[in-house]
Amino acid sequence: MDDLVTPKQVARAIGVSESTLKRWCDQGILPSIRTAGGHRRLEVQEVIAYLRHSGREIQRPDMLGLPSNTGKGARVISRTQTLLVHALIEGDEVQCRRLVFDLYLQDRSIREICDDVLAPTLDQIGELWGCGDIAIYQERRCCEITQRILFELQRTLRQATESAPVAIGGTLVKDPYQIATMMAGLILKELGWNAESLGSGLPVETVIKAVVDIQPKLVWLSVSCIDDTEYFIYTCNQLHNIAAEHRTALVLGGCALGESLRKQLSYTVYCDNFKDLANFASSLT
Amino acid sequence: MDDLVTPKQVARAIGVSESTLKRWCDQGILPSIRTAGGHRRLEVQEVIAYLRHSGREIQRPDMLGLPSNTGKGARVISRTQTLLVHALIEGDEVQCRRLVFDLYLQDRSIREICDDVLAPTLDQIGELWGCGDIAIYQERRCCEITQRILFELQRTLRQATESAPVAIGGTLVKDPYQIATMMAGLILKELGWNAESLGSGLPVETVIKAVVDIQPKLVWLSVSCIDDTEYFIYTCNQLHNIAAEHRTALVLGGCALGESLRKQLSYTVYCDNFKDLANFASSLT
DNA sequence: TTATAATTCGTTCATTTCGACTATTATTGC
DNA sequence: GCAATAATAGTCGAAATGAACGAATTATAA
């Protein structure tokens, strides 16, 4: 649940002396709790948060359960993408995690990582797949690994407060790509939302029902492909009407929503990328 | 009311060693009572009181991940299952995690948790969905939550050694249920295998290619539904031949594989449940 | 009920952490 | 450059923690 680590582990991980770490704890720079005997214990999430905003390089990531070799050498976005494509195709999950966490620990937001690294990387892999340069199982494995990395990133976020605004979302029928909707949920969580993806392959009707039941402040749809365009337009507009009744914002995203199609749709906002989503979500709070 | 828990459970729940916990009991920090034979037992209330006092989780005490279902018999399993169905449908992820981790704190193996709790629970939810008693989004949300819990469980496992036997698997086209294949991978990982699910919706051809490329010791297929039976039989048998050439065991599982169909298939072993899988995998090492 | 496996007991011992203190290094202002 | 200040690193005995052990107890199943 909440993994606690000892001062020694943290000191090694950050690369400072235990004395310094103790002082930081006492000054509140790094929040810590005490055991019954008075020993300090730190939450991994807090340590990661400190590492991110302090700009320090992590020395011993293994001490915090992070992929080893993380933090060694500054990575640039473009270089990471090249390496990541290769590592994903090879199925080298450890290397993939390392590359992503390098960026994350350098204070890149999850939003940035998704927009600037993961999305283009997966696009590239999708193209390779389309050209037949890689096997199907490799493409699927890439998605699996990416999912696991996204899940790891989610674990580093603090749990949403009770008062956090609620958001739900997912993909529609015949749309198996879970990654985009997972990213959307993750990015909203990063912004402090109580966001939850309902999964993929949802009929629009059940999304409507979910909006009525849960009454979220925001509902997102990631649309990569559409089964029946006419029907989609009809139900999507219906969803927007009902969402409006409940003061729920309808956010659409995805490559299947071309300009001509969007003209026939009503929605609160369309997002080309996750930056748009983040900006819009922030405007609601 | 007097839910008594063992020192081991409490130690795992609050993250200290058993030695320390015993000392705290003896010092009166954590009040404990003794059995006739002198073994310590703690009241759940007291542990919650301690946790709140130590400032670790100021959240609701009933959500602290402490064993609420004590005992080891089949009763606990069925009660957990009942509660879990409800919590999953309600989308109460915290409660779901707590229920599953209660079992984990009682030293149940992941295999047992999957076989005896999660699988029947999801079956039950599937039935409710089939009857229209719950909305589609609720059913999908159940799967999402279960997936995240499985991820959490996976984190508790140590990484496989270099010399560990390799296993791959997945589901076939038109078979979107990822959970079973995820469980299979997880259970093999628990046994020390270097197992990796390639994901869902794999054409058999690419599984064959993966077997040739990766040369695993075991490949599993979770088959919930079959698109084209004739074609499936042909390619599945082809897969078995190629697997045999590479000394790879072909493990089949899933509800779509009825007896009559199995007679036309060649494979190494068919598994009705994860216990079968675990037993067979153990026999290979 | 009895046999067997699993857990817990109490204890010892090595390691870690505590708090308070001093020494060293880095930063700032003049 | 130099002094003043702040931050970091190291030292010490006392206390807390975690791992290991055989013996005793409990749980589980025949």
Side-chain angles (χ1 to χ4, degrees), chain A residues 208-223:
Chain A
I208 292 177
K209 182 155 170 48
V211 168
V212 175
D213 287 354
I214 301 175
Q215 306 232 352
K217 199 157 184 176
L218 185 155
V219 54
W220 77 84
L221 282 186
S222 163
V223 188

Side-chain angles (χ1 to χ4, degrees), chain B residues 183-198:
Chain B
M183 286 180 178
L186 188 50
I187 282 153
L188 289 171
K189 280 200 181 96
E190 186 181 36
L191 294 172
W193 284 62
N194 188 355
E196 191 174 25
S197 171
L198 300 178

Side-chain angles (χ1 to χ4, degrees), chain A residues 138-182:
Chain A
Q138 290 178 303
E139 191 266 348
R140 293 294 150 83
R141 190 170 60 181
C142 293
C143 293
E144 291 284 313
I145 293 173
T146 307
Q147 266 194 49
R148 283 196 283 271
I149 291 175
L150 290 175
F151 180 78
E152 292 277 344
L153 286 175
Q154 181 169 319
R155 276 189 52 84
T156 68
L157 297 177
R158 298 189 185 90
Q159 217 173 11
T161 58
E162 287 288 326
S163 59
V166 175
I168 60 172
T171 78
L172 298 180
V173 279
K174 306 270 182 184
D175 192 343
Y177 272 101
Q178 303 184 313
I179 296 214
T181 186
M182 205 169 158

Side-chain angles (χ1 to χ4, degrees), chain A residues 262-281:
Chain A
R262 290 211 299 277
K263 281 179 186 161
Q264 303 173 67
L265 295 173
S266 69
Y267 47 80
T268 312
V269 67
Y270 167 79
C271 296
D272 248 342
N273 48 43
F274 293 115
K275 189 179 177 186
D276 291 350
L277 171 64
N279 284 338
F280 175 71

Side-chain angles (χ1 to χ4, degrees), chain B residues 63 77-100 117-118 120-126 128 133-134 137-139 141-143 145-146 149:
Chain B
M63 290 193 172
I77 296 280
S78 68
R79 193 168 12 157
T80 298
Q81 200 180 314
T82 311
L83 293 171
L84 193 57
V85 169
H86 191 257
L88 275 171
I89 291 173
E90 291 296 310
D92 186 351
E93 185 162 351
V94 178
Q95 166 78 343
C96 293
R97 267 217 293 269
R98 179 179 146 249
L99 287 167
V100 174
V117 183
L118 295 179
T121 297
L122 291 173
D123 281 348
Q124 205 173 328
I125 287 170
L128 288 172
D133 291 336
I134 59 172
Y137 83 86
Q138 289 178 305
E139 191 266 347
R141 190 170 58 182
C142 293
C143 293
I145 293 174
T146 307
I149 291 176

